[in-house]
Amino acid sequence: MTTSLQSVLGTGFADKRLKAPKDTTSLQCNYSGHTFCMRFVVSVIPKTAYESNAAFFEKAMDAVVQSLGALLRDGLTHPLTGERFFFVVLGVKGDLPYLQKLGKLNRSWNTTSKKRSRGGRLAGGTCHLCLAGTAGCHAEEIVDHPQWEVTIGVRQPWLRTPFIVQHLCHNLSNPASFFKHDLWHSVHLGLGKSFVCSCLQIALEVVPATNNEDRFRWLTNHYRAWCKDTSSQPHVTKITPSLISYGEKTGAAGAWRKGALTTNLMRWIVVLVSALSSDKGGYLSLCATAAVNLNEFFSCLHNAPLFLSGNEATYLAGKGMTFLKIYARLALDLFREGRPHLFAVYPKIHVIHHFLWDMRQEAGDHNLSLHPLSAACQMDEDLVGRVSRLSRRVNIRAVIQRTLERYLIGCYAAWREAAAATEHVEPATHVIQRDRGHFKVSH
Ligand SMILES: [Zn+2]
């Protein structure tokens, strides 16, 4: 379990994503550079430790929170200039299980219930920000003004205010908004995957081949040819039935864990549909329209600064809503056809809807909207991967301390390299040695 700090401000998205030169006068998201230079690890805990004793994680987080509170109260003094800096923690982000664990949320992704309790009320609720998923307030209602919009912040999603909220600045009218959803995860490792899998399963009906094996081979060849034409990394060697959950009646959820593959497949589907004849139900053309809208939504976001203008936010929220509305329509049509496993409706559909609703609301209220990817965990996945690789190379009896020490050594090299790239400083040529439990740098 890796916990890290980051600035909400950074140097924007990586240059390869940009369609136009970056606007250097506006504030940017924190997305480019080595993750060791933009995310700061403050705690690592092995799974065995926090699973056997929940207090282990809670006590570690309490210590982090107290320290963060002092950053605003007392500030941090620069050792050379004597200047004092004060920091405000804007919120906590992470995947849904992490947020649930930290906030002890009693409304989250796994508390949704379709069954009515004895009183006729729906139990649980699916969202810590609003009452979606409770009685008379459907989380799957994809319209511009859903019933849940008037329930935002009316009931707290916890029995006791979490320690992290008590000790840090937060929005008093809606303390639960301190816990931020992750748009990237919700699409690229959530609804986007089931969309792609469902589209491909419909496409199989019109692929020009006589048996299933040949149909998948045809899809693989088409995908690989598209990757070559667009110079995209394929990420998979084959499109297989198991990859797209073909024949799984519990829901076409997709069997990959790489968000970049979802991005690729979403772009490829538009080209694929244009190469195929139309299907019986006319679903494929709808799939292509949905994919075009979602692709434009993310492409624009990856070129946007930290604050979107009111017009940009309204336009992009419209693109996202078009995707969601088509998804919901396909879900209903295919459910009526007896194919409920296609375009399955997961709690993440509500998370995405919430983001789009927020963008429109902020645009209307302030003529500005905070970039919805500013709280996404795309780069943090990279950081967690690096730290967990380090943790496998240290003595298991001192795994926490040694992992953090190795992380600091990694930081040293990454920061030197970043400085060398911008200021023509010599890259690190020093040897770092361990000396009686301490690390020393020899030149
Ligand atoms: Zn909600």
Side-chain angles (χ1 to χ4, degrees), residues 213-257:
E213 207 172 302
D214 286 350
R215 288 188 191 105
F216 276 100
R217 195 172 301 130
W218 189 94
L219 282 179
T220 301
N221 291 340
H222 194 277
Y223 175 61
R224 294 192 69 87
W226 174 84
C227 288
K228 210 171 164 197
D229 287 350
T230 55
S231 311
S232 310
Q233 200 188 331
H235 299 296
V236 282
T237 50
K238 277 181 182 174
I239 308 281
T240 61
S242 62
L243 183 78
I244 62 165
S245 311
Y246 182 74
E248 279 178 32
K249 295 296 172 207
T250 49
W256 65 91
R257 301 186 63 160

Side-chain angles (χ1 to χ4, degrees), residues 127 129-130 132 148 350 354:
C127 175
L129 300 171
C130 71
W148 54 257
H350 174 71
H354 224 118

Side-chain angles (χ1 to χ4, degrees), residues 107 126-132 139 148 151-152 181 350-351 353-354:
R107 292 200 311 270
T126 182
C127 175
H128 66 274
L129 300 171
C130 71
L131 296 184
W148 54 257
T151 68
I152 295 173
H181 275 139
H350 174 71
V351 174
H353 194 186
H354 224 118

